[in-house]
Every structure is written in structure tokens, then in C-alpha cells.
Amino acid sequence: MKLSASWLIKIKAVYIPLKHAVLKVISLSSWFSSIYYGLCSPSFRREQRAVVSGLKRHMELIRNDASFFLLRRNAHRLEKGLVMPKRKPIFALEYIGETVTYYENCLRSGAAVCDREEFKWAGDILKLYFASVASNPIIERARRKFFGIVDEQTVGQRVPYLRGTGESPVSTEDLLALAKRRKSVRVFLQKPVPHALLDEALKIAALAPSSCNRQPVHYRFYDQPELLRELAAMPLGTAGFADNIPMICVLTGDLSAYFYERDRHSIYVDGCLSAMLFMLALESVGLASCPLNWPEIDRLDSKLETLIKLPAYERAILFMAVGYADPDGLVACSQKKDLSELRSYNRVG
């Protein structure tokens, strides 16, 4: 039974002061908050399960030495060491051996991996590393193993390079114009979205920064009518225009990319960095978008997991409506904060 607006107002009037009183108590101690969320509130249970599932899968990948996440991460760690202003003559002793093992196992896994540009990049970084560091027993063992599985010892092209000077190819005015053009569109033309245009935009989104270059995000696009209809109605922000969405994107993050619980929020940071580039790129190919909040509601998470067969270690970061904007449709003004409210310099407190 759906409650009337007047009843909702009355319930809210009681609920808010009651919750405030409870929060005043549990906020006094981290122990109180742990007990509260462990025994009284299920709000974090699905996130905890996803984190545990991600760690479990990460450990399985480590035991099998078969994780491309691990090769990508370690190659990036080597690359960061190589670009430091005061490069150490010896570094990465604690993980160079495992990095070569990851490379070897990815090499053995088949041509599909070997043809990936990322794999070639990892090989080039390893070659440059061995050409750059001083001698050490651990390094020498890894060097012999690495050059026992690769033929060419010359450094390839996918290595650190000079940043250089020169003007940006895009002016501030052009970038500002693109950012202003990007508005959340809720009125779309009813025409198919070419997958080729999405791929063009994704080439730009793929350049987004990512923690240790793990790139844990995946763009899941849906335009099959029945699936689209169900998915478009799921986010709370689509009321009133769900049936007008020609394509829905579910952006997910893979928690199996991480070894520690402390990194559980990295999927959201990396996902949003990528999503913002993607939305700007969509404008450049003639498409529009509307990012859609995905709230932490167990019922919705469970339904999504079943509907698109989402693994337990993957989490939805956000939904996004994508399509051709109807030129006769309205977009919200959404006045933004004044610069004085948005930033501060050397502020304490």
C-alpha cells in the first residue's frame, strides 16, 4: 500500500529526531558504530560481502599467478620508479620476481593476451627496468628468468617519455564550451545508438587516470528492448523518463583488483574519473548522456545482480542514460557553486 504524502510527512517528522538521537550516541565511538551496523542495520552488508568476495578472488588469482590486474599493477609500479626525479639504483626488490612470474604466466596463457597492447607495454617496462637498475642477486635471478622467456633484449616504445612543453591542443575556451554543452539530458530522440560511436568515446575514457593503473571499471551497455526497459526503471532518478531512454549503461567496478580492504573505494574514484571523460567524449561524437545515481539499496542490488549476472565481487558504480538529445527537449539550468565556495588555499579546518 502506498502511503499518502501527508502520512509520509508525519512519519518523517517522527523518524528524523529519533534517528538523530540514535546517531548522537553511536557517533561517540567507533565501537558503538560497529555494533550498530553489525547488529542493527544491514546498510553495509552487501558492500562487505562484495569486498570479501573481491579479496577471495584476488587471492585465488595470486595463487594461480594468472591475474592481469597484478601484472598491470606491478608494471606500473616499476614505471613510477623509473620516472622518479631521484631514481634509486636498486628498487622493486620485493616484487620484481613475482612481476616476471606474472608476465611468464600471462605469456603462457595464449596469443589473445600476448596481442594486447598492455602486455607489450609490461614487457617493454621490464626490459627498461633491467637495463636501468644496478646489479643485485634478486634482480639477477629475475633478469635471467625474464630474458629466458623473451628473445629481444632491446627496449620497446611503450616506456616513459618526456612530457615536453608546448601549448595544449585544446584551449581553455574550447574546453569550457564543451563542459557547458554537457548537460544531463532526459529527452532523447528515439533512434538507435551506434555502438561504433560509443567505442570512439570509450577510447578517450580509457585514458582516465587509475590507481596503480589497475583500470577496474567495465562499461556494460544495454539496448535490447526488454532488458533496457527493466534496467532503465531501476535507478531512482529515472522516474518520468525511463521509457524515453534508448540505451542504458551500467558502470561497474571489480573489487578483485585489490589486495586490501583499504582500497575498497578505489573503484568509485577510478570509475567516476573515467565516467566524466566518457560523458565529455560522448558530446564530441554527437551523443548526450545523463548520469544516474545508484543508491545502496539491497533490494535493487540483488535484482541487478540477478538480471545481468553480476559477480559478487563487482559493484555498480553508476548508471548512465545515453542517446541522441532531442533538440526540442529542455535541460535543467543547474546553477553551480560560486568559485569562492568551491575552493580554498592553505585552509586549516
Side-chain angles (χ1 to χ4, degrees):
M1 182 181 69
K2 190 174 181 179
L3 296 174
S4 65
S6 59
W7 269 107
L8 289 174
I9 293 171
K10 292 175 183 177
I11 292 172
K12 196 173 182 180
V14 175
Y15 173 76
I16 289 178
L18 178 61
K19 184 167 185 178
H20 182 244
V22 172
L23 291 174
K24 282 177 68 177
V25 175
I26 66 174
S27 64
L28 295 174
S29 163
S30 59
W31 286 102
F32 289 169
S33 60
S34 296
I35 293 170
Y36 174 76
Y37 283 111
L39 300 178
C40 304
S41 172
S43 298
F44 294 105
R45 288 178 191 169
R46 184 166 289 274
E47 181 185 31
Q48 290 169 344
R49 172 178 171 247
V51 171
V52 169
S53 297
L55 293 173
K56 171 178 170 289
R57 177 167 168 77
H58 187 89
M59 295 300 178
E60 291 169 351
L61 294 171
I62 289 178
R63 293 182 67 182
N64 295 329
D65 294 321
S67 174
F68 210 94
F69 277 129
L70 298 173
L71 177 61
R72 185 189 298 127
R73 171 179 179 260
N74 279 9
H76 187 62
R77 293 168 79 186
L78 294 175
E79 193 169 33
K80 287 192 292 186
L82 290 167
V83 303
M84 289 298 163
K86 295 181 180 179
R87 181 195 297 174
K88 295 179 180 179
I90 293 177
F91 67 94
L93 293 182
E94 69 274 22
Y95 62 87
I96 184 57
E98 68 181 32
T99 305
V100 173
T101 298
Y102 297 151
Y103 182 89
E104 180 182 28
N105 284 316
C106 286
L107 180 67
R108 289 176 176 174
S109 66
V113 169
C114 299
D115 288 340
R116 290 170 62 166
E117 294 301 311
E118 286 180 282
F119 182 74
K120 297 173 185 177
W121 160 73
D124 287 348
I125 295 300
L126 280 164
K127 292 172 190 175
L128 180 59
Y129 169 81
F130 288 123
S132 304
V133 293
S135 181
N136 174 278
I138 294 175
I139 292 175
E140 291 309 313
R141 282 197 299 272
R143 186 197 307 271
R144 287 193 297 271
K145 183 176 181 179
F146 179 69
F147 287 117
I149 58 178
V150 297
D151 296 328
E152 187 179 353
Q153 297 190 23
T154 56
V155 176
Q157 302 300 312
R158 301 167 185 83
V159 293
Y161 55 90
L162 292 175
R163 168 67 165 79
T165 56
E167 295 182 2
S168 167
V170 179
S171 70
T172 305
E173 291 77 12
D174 287 341
L175 184 57
L176 179 60
L178 179 62
K180 285 183 174 180
R181 177 180 173 82
R182 191 229 55 86
K183 300 294 290 185
S184 294
V185 169
R186 295 173 175 83
V187 186
F188 295 98
L189 296 175
Q190 294 308 296
K191 56 187 291 189
V193 178
H195 293 186
L197 290 183
L198 296 174
D199 287 348
E200 286 299 310
L202 283 172
K203 289 177 184 177
I204 297 173
L207 298 175
S210 170
S211 173
C212 275
N213 201 34
R214 286 185 180 92
Q215 304 167 61
V217 299
H218 187 77
Y219 287 80
R220 298 168 177 265
F221 296 101
Y222 300 93
D223 55 5
Q224 192 276 331
E226 291 183 11
L227 200 51
L228 170 63
R229 184 170 60 254
E230 282 200 72
L231 288 169
M234 289 177 67
L236 301 186
T238 60
F241 78 105
D243 60 353
N244 184 247
I245 297 173
M247 174 171 280
I248 199 82
C249 172
V250 183
L251 181 63
T252 62
D254 188 343
L255 285 165
S256 72
Y258 306 98
F259 185 81
Y260 299 106
E261 290 90 345
R262 69 190 185 197
D263 295 318
R264 64 189 180 277
H265 293 157
S266 292
I267 58 170
Y268 303 105
V269 176
D270 288 0
C272 290
L273 287 169
S274 177
M276 190 66 249
L277 267 185
F278 180 62
M279 287 187 287
L280 290 173
L282 286 174
E283 294 290 337
S284 74
V285 298
L287 294 171
S289 63
C290 181
L292 303 163
N293 179 38
W294 182 249
E296 187 77 15
I297 299 175
D298 186 72
R299 171 181 56 82
L300 292 178
D301 275 318
S302 180
K303 182 179 179 181
L304 179 66
E305 194 174 295
T306 302
L307 190 60
I308 63 173
K309 295 181 170 53
L310 198 65
Y313 51 83
E314 278 195 49
R315 304 228 73 201
I317 297 170
L318 57 80
F319 278 45
M320 190 184 301
V322 180
Y324 288 99
D326 187 335
D328 295 324
L330 296 173
V331 293
C333 175
S334 300
Q335 182 64 40
K336 303 304 180 186
K337 284 183 178 180
D338 184 79
L339 194 60
S340 62
E341 298 180 87
L342 190 64
R343 57 93 176 97
S344 64
Y345 299 103
N346 303 315
R347 177 179 174 178
V348 178

